[in-house]
Amino acid sequence: MQDKSYVPFTKEMIKDYTVLVPNMLPMHFKLISSVLKTHGYTLKVLENSGPQIAETGLKYTHNDTCYPAILMIGQFMDALLSGEYDTRKTALIMFQTGGGCRASNYISLIRKALKKAGMEYVPVISLSFAGLEKHSGFKLDLKKMKQLVYAVLYGDLLMNLVNQVRPFETEKGSAERLADEWVRRLGEELGASKRISYKKVRGKYREIIKSFMEIPIENRKAVKVGIVGEIFVKYSPLGNNDLERFIINEGGQSVVPGLCDFAMYCVYDMIAEHEIYKNSHLKYRLTKFVYNYLNKKRTHISEALVESGRFDGLTPFDRVVHLADGLISTAVQMGEGWLLTAEMVELAESGCNNIVCTQPFGCLPNHICGKGMMKPIKELFPDVNIVAIDYDAGASRVNQENRLKLMLANAKKISARNSSVADAAEKEAQQKNDTAYCNAEK
Ligand code: SF4
């Protein structure tokens, strides 16, 4: 049942309050914060980390709660208790899908934690397209939604480019520095005007890609490692112990699906629901419109990447929705649902044979769609190597990293064997050619 007794975030609070944002996707959330600044809000993407975050989370919520909730609550409470913020002028924000998963209860859990700490007066804003709660000081109109979509698209493009360049850069840190610079510039641009043309956004894609192509790189190959799983532990360095950095440091290249894919999954779920349950036709037409809108925008990013002649594009989402056909139904919509399975197939199909499936403690839905789907996927793609890594407050980081090291070592061995087989085949073909040429000369 919806909690009606919450402290609302009012219009009067916009001017004076700092709104704290959990750190799930640093680049995306900084861009989103810049957009919201245009509308008068002061947002702060939290960067506090370390073992005290999970400890604080466990102090203020039950230990059988999902691990992402423990971390987000821990990060909020750690910030509020740090003395850095005037708690009477601070609010918290949570992004919610409004789906049937436990994530829809995170807001109540945060409020419970605040009450336990004697800070029940702190407003908690639910940012949800499903309109889970009403806050007079925080309304998503069409204009804001459009700007947020642009922020997500920019974030996805930057994340994709960093992943494709970082393993090969000759000067360590250059791709990340360039991405930070773009986040700052794009944030200012998105924040400079309440109206921004999409034509301009599209034009920026090419400018961004060009700048990443100018980063000096070395000519070598890296083992590609796909990262899938529950949305928070998949993306958040806090949730996955900085998994992407670990893969890079071990000489690999991480491949991470974008946030737009998750948004499109949420929209497509409503289309699938209509196809299965034949519910409201009006809702179906509206969601179809939103799906097509996002699909077009995502395609533009992919086209710009391919046009560069250097970077890989994205699998069309119309295809992604069918990748899990025969494995799992699109009616499986809790957590990352069918998308998690489809993403593993997408990676395997594209030749990314090493996949890390990040699984938080307490996450039953993703254990079914992730771990539960590993066997049938391996039957379809015998060369694929999927490792499910559990993340929770008590999990040993050393153990997680050892399993990843083993996966990378195996992958490197296979890749070396394949390239020596390819070299030998090439040599043999060359020898045959030379002999044929000599015979012809004679
Ligand atoms: S997806 Fe998993 S971790 Fe996230 S709320 Fe649902 S059960 Fe919890």
Side-chain angles (χ1 to χ4, degrees):
M1 224 171 77
Q2 198 183 325
D3 177 12
K4 303 245 191 264
S5 62
Y6 59 85
V7 181
F9 184 81
T10 61
K11 278 185 192 155
E12 295 69 42
M13 290 174 175
I14 300 176
K15 196 161 58 73
D16 302 327
Y17 273 59
T18 300
V19 182
L20 305 184
V21 186
N23 193 358
M24 186 171 89
L25 277 143
M27 280 187 270
H28 293 71
F29 282 16
K30 278 182 192 157
L31 287 164
I32 288 173
S33 300
S34 302
V35 167
L36 293 174
K37 264 184 205 159
T38 331
H39 299 274
Y41 300 94
T42 305
L43 279 96
K44 167 96 180 88
V45 180
L46 292 172
E47 284 178 359
N48 45 341
S49 60
Q52 88 277 7
I53 300 296
E55 282 161 24
T56 312
L58 284 169
K59 202 169 147 194
Y60 289 98
T61 191
H62 201 280
N63 66 357
D64 70 2
T65 309
C66 309
Y67 185 51
I70 293 174
L71 288 178
M72 281 190 244
I73 292 170
Q75 200 173 36
F76 278 143
M77 297 310 293
D78 181 69
L80 290 172
L81 295 166
S82 68
E84 207 182 310
Y85 304 95
D86 175 357
T87 58
R88 294 274 171 189
K89 292 270 186 297
T90 306
L92 312 178
I93 193 165
M94 260 294 296
F95 301 87
Q96 293 190 288
T97 59
C101 207
R102 286 203 274 176
S104 294
N105 293 322
Y106 282 13
I107 293 269
S108 310
L109 292 173
I110 297 169
R111 291 197 179 118
K112 234 172 140 184
L114 288 169
K115 195 170 178 191
K116 202 170 170 185
M119 291 189 273
E120 55 271 52
Y121 50 83
V122 174
V124 186
I125 307 162
S126 157
L127 178 58
S128 159
F129 294 106
L132 289 183
E133 285 183 356
K134 305 262 176 284
H135 294 269
S136 63
F138 206 93
K139 283 185 186 155
L140 277 184
D141 52 26
L142 206 62
K143 205 184 283 170
K144 272 193 209 128
M145 284 194 209
K146 238 176 166 183
Q147 288 175 318
L148 293 179
V149 169
Y150 297 160
V152 169
L153 294 169
Y154 277 146
D156 276 357
L157 177 63
L158 288 171
M159 185 171 77
N160 188 305
L161 289 166
V162 169
N163 283 332
Q164 293 201 54
V165 173
R166 190 152 69 142
F168 314 104
E169 61 195 9
T170 47
E171 196 193 317
K172 227 173 159 14
S174 30
E176 272 187 298
R177 275 197 299 278
L178 182 59
D180 285 346
E181 175 58 20
W182 272 114
V183 167
R184 196 190 55 74
R185 277 174 62 184
L186 296 169
E188 274 173 15
E189 266 180 50
L190 282 172
S193 118
K194 288 192 179 175
R195 208 169 282 186
I196 182 155
S197 86
Y198 181 63
K199 204 171 152 202
K200 218 170 148 193
V201 171
R202 246 186 114 177
K204 270 280 173 282
Y205 293 164
R206 284 172 184 86
E207 216 183 299
I208 296 170
I209 292 170
K210 191 170 168 278
S211 71
F212 274 86
M213 288 176 79
E214 283 161 8
I215 294 179
I217 51 163
E218 52 192 43
N219 188 13
R220 69 170 184 90
K221 284 198 170 121
V223 173
K224 283 187 179 177
V225 181
I227 303 177
V228 296
E230 187 276 339
I231 189 161
F232 187 82
V233 288
K234 171 167 76 173
Y235 291 130
S236 169
L238 176 68
N240 61 28
N241 293 329
D242 221 344
L243 178 59
E244 281 179 52
R245 194 172 301 279
F246 177 81
I247 290 169
I248 305 286
N249 290 345
E250 291 296 314
Q253 177 188 351
S254 46
V255 184
V256 192
L259 183 61
C260 186
D261 294 24
F262 183 78
M264 289 185 70
Y265 151 75
C266 296
V267 177
Y268 187 82
D269 279 354
M270 290 184 251
I271 297 173
E273 263 176 38
H274 176 79
E275 278 160 10
I276 300 164
Y277 308 115
K278 307 278 173 258
N279 49 11
S280 155
H281 194 69
L282 187 68
K283 196 174 159 194
Y284 167 76
R285 284 181 56 183
L286 191 71
T287 42
K288 194 90 188 156
F289 172 79
V290 178
Y291 175 86
N292 289 338
Y293 172 82
L294 292 173
N295 201 17
K296 208 164 147 195
K297 304 277 178 279
R298 185 180 177 276
T299 307
H300 291 154
I301 291 193
S302 186
E303 284 169 357
L305 284 164
V306 174
E307 244 174 53
S308 72
R310 178 168 140 201
F311 298 118
D312 296 334
L314 314 171
T315 308
F317 203 79
D318 285 339
R319 177 156 170 65
V320 173
V321 297
H322 292 294
L323 288 177
D325 285 357
L327 295 171
I328 200 163
S329 160
T330 46
V332 181
Q333 300 175 353
M334 295 296 126
E336 274 54 39
W338 58 265
L339 179 70
L340 178 43
T341 313
E343 282 179 345
M344 287 195 277
V345 175
E346 182 189 357
L347 288 163
E349 255 197 7
S350 69
C352 178
N353 282 341
N354 301 284
I355 301 170
V356 181
C357 184
T358 57
Q359 307 268 169
F361 169 77
C363 181
L364 180 64
N366 287 326
H367 269 70
I368 293 165
C369 312
K371 228 173 187 169
M373 285 295 124
M374 279 163 54
K375 193 166 173 266
I377 291 175
K378 278 183 187 171
E379 280 166 8
L380 285 175
F381 301 93
D383 292 335
V384 86
N385 182 14
I386 311 175
V387 177
I389 304 278
D390 294 320
Y391 290 91
D392 81 78
S396 144
R397 183 173 182 154
V398 176
N399 190 17
Q400 290 165 352
E401 293 184 350
N402 281 344
R403 295 190 55 212
L404 291 165
K405 276 184 184 168
L406 191 68
M407 180 180 90
L408 283 162
N410 282 337
K412 280 179 194 161
K413 234 191 271 169
I414 293 168
S415 145
R417 202 170 50 218
N418 287 348
S419 57
S420 61
V421 169
D423 284 352
E426 199 180 317
K427 222 168 166 183
E428 199 185 308
Q430 186 64 44
Q431 271 169 359
K432 274 186 189 161
N433 262 352
D434 291 349
T435 319
Y437 179 73
C438 286
N439 289 342
E441 285 287 288
K442 277 179 201 164

